Amino acid sequence: MSIEIPGRDGDGYLLSMDDWTPEIGKAMAEADGVELTDAKWNQIMKAREYYEDQAVVPPIRKFSKFINLDQKELFAQWKTGPMKPITKYGGLPKPTGCV
């Protein structure tokens, strides 16, 4: 069963946050060739939680404190700036500032 991925911008972010569901987030990662481990998925859900509380995408420093994980560990898991894939597959807006 393949999931129809809603419209995305040039960076792969959903055009409308309202289109996001967990299934769509996972389908987007799969389409991009990104494996979402349980740890990564938990980080995505935590970022959504943070966004719902604060109405802003957390900077990496705040986010690593929020989930009680060292920034280096986040970078090691994602092999890249972690906030970009976390927000992308979480259906959140693009992070601002350095990512």
Side-chain angles (χ1 to χ4, degrees):
M1 176 182 106
S2 118
I3 292 193
E4 182 77 22
I5 298 173
R8 299 206 274 171
D9 69 12
D11 292 327
Y13 284 80
L14 288 175
L15 296 174
S16 170
M17 280 178 60
D18 297 336
D19 289 339
W20 189 86
T21 66
E23 294 74 28
I24 285 172
K26 290 174 180 171
M28 287 166 53
E30 195 177 309
D32 295 348
V34 174
E35 183 195 347
L36 291 181
T37 61
D38 288 346
K40 288 179 178 179
W41 188 251
N42 288 337
Q43 291 161 15
I44 287 169
M45 296 312 288
K46 282 292 195 187
R48 287 188 62 81
E49 191 182 301
Y50 186 100
Y51 186 84
E52 281 169 26
D53 289 348
Q54 309 290 327
V56 67
V57 169
I60 182 72
R61 214 170 48 242
K62 275 192 178 151
F63 186 66
S64 66
K65 278 195 179 108
F66 181 69
I67 63 171
N68 200 19
L69 190 67
D70 188 81
Q71 285 182 53
K72 289 186 192 103
E73 182 63 32
L74 270 175
F75 276 89
Q77 284 180 21
W78 289 95
K79 314 272 190 272
T80 177
M83 293 318 293
K84 211 167 179 186
I86 287 172
T87 53
K88 183 191 301 186
Y89 305 128
L92 298 169
K94 280 178 213 169
T96 54
C98 54
V99 285

